[in-house]
Amino acid sequence: MRALVQRVNRARVTIEDATTDTFEGVISGEPLRSIGRGFVVFLGVGEADGEEEAEKLWRKISRMRIFDDEMGKTNLALADVGGEVLVVSQFTLYADCRKGNRPSFTQAGEPSMAKDLYRRFCQLAQADLGRIAVGEFGADMTVDLENAGPFTIWLDTHDL
């Protein structure tokens, strides 16, 4: 799995033709689509990924100490600052641009498997945080965010 994590002051996702996919068992009612201070996690699922990668990646993200402490050092994790999370699926993190000018996405996970792992990642985040904001798997979305820092981190479970 791959994630592009951005520390934000605020973020929201807008979905033009949202379905009723509310991640049953994870988020009740209408999905939350915006957050305050926290992380936006753009999440890509690869063809060889499984639950182990989802768990490993969420563990790493949830424990990353990239918020400033009282001394101005990046020493605090998401839970330490009462941070929120917006998770947006993004298969384009598996773009292969080595040949030609049009990216190939053959390393991205097959959609139904990728959707299940995206949901699993969201369940893990929700279990730790109580409530999360989500995009919609496979939808055309507009993400509006205010990057804090800016602070952006690239994670790949193959490198963790």
Side-chain angles (χ1 to χ4, degrees):
M1 293 183 100
R2 293 179 177 166
L4 183 72
V5 180
Q6 294 193 315
R7 186 180 73 181
V8 298
N9 293 324
R10 58 157 191 83
R12 70 179 173 161
V13 62
T14 305
I15 304 162
E16 193 69 30
D17 295 317
T19 67
T20 58
D21 184 5
T22 58
F23 296 97
E24 294 171 25
V26 177
I27 299 168
S28 59
E30 285 298 308
L32 185 62
R33 302 288 193 204
S34 64
I35 62 168
R37 182 181 189 200
F39 295 155
V40 172
V41 178
F42 295 101
L43 183 68
V45 177
E47 62 186 351
D49 290 333
E51 282 198 33
E52 183 179 323
E53 285 78 15
E55 292 167 7
K56 179 192 275 189
L57 187 58
W58 173 247
R59 257 192 327 270
K60 178 60 82 172
I61 290 170
S62 68
R63 295 175 181 165
M64 278 194 316
R65 299 182 330 181
I66 62 172
F67 291 96
D68 293 345
D69 64 14
E70 63 279 349
M71 303 298 284
K73 292 184 115 215
T74 52
N75 203 27
L76 301 176
L78 199 58
D80 299 328
V81 299
E84 301 176 291
V85 171
L86 168 61
V87 184
V88 177
S89 72
Q90 190 162 353
F91 77 94
T92 61
L93 294 179
Y94 277 89
D96 182 349
C97 299
R98 291 177 289 182
K99 294 180 182 177
N101 294 317
R102 191 169 96 192
S104 168
F105 300 102
T106 58
Q107 294 179 357
E110 183 271 320
S112 66
M113 179 275 292
K115 185 175 186 175
D116 288 345
L117 286 176
Y118 171 72
R119 285 181 173 190
R120 179 65 182 138
F121 183 89
C122 290
Q123 288 172 338
L124 294 165
Q126 194 266 342
D128 280 352
L129 301 176
R131 185 157 180 162
I132 63 167
V134 294
E136 185 174 304
F137 187 90
D140 189 15
M141 297 173 273
T142 301
V143 180
D144 177 39
L145 60 90
E146 182 178 288
N147 195 314
F151 214 120
T152 303
I153 295 181
W154 170 260
L155 297 170
D156 188 317
T157 54
H158 291 106
D159 299 328
L160 299 179

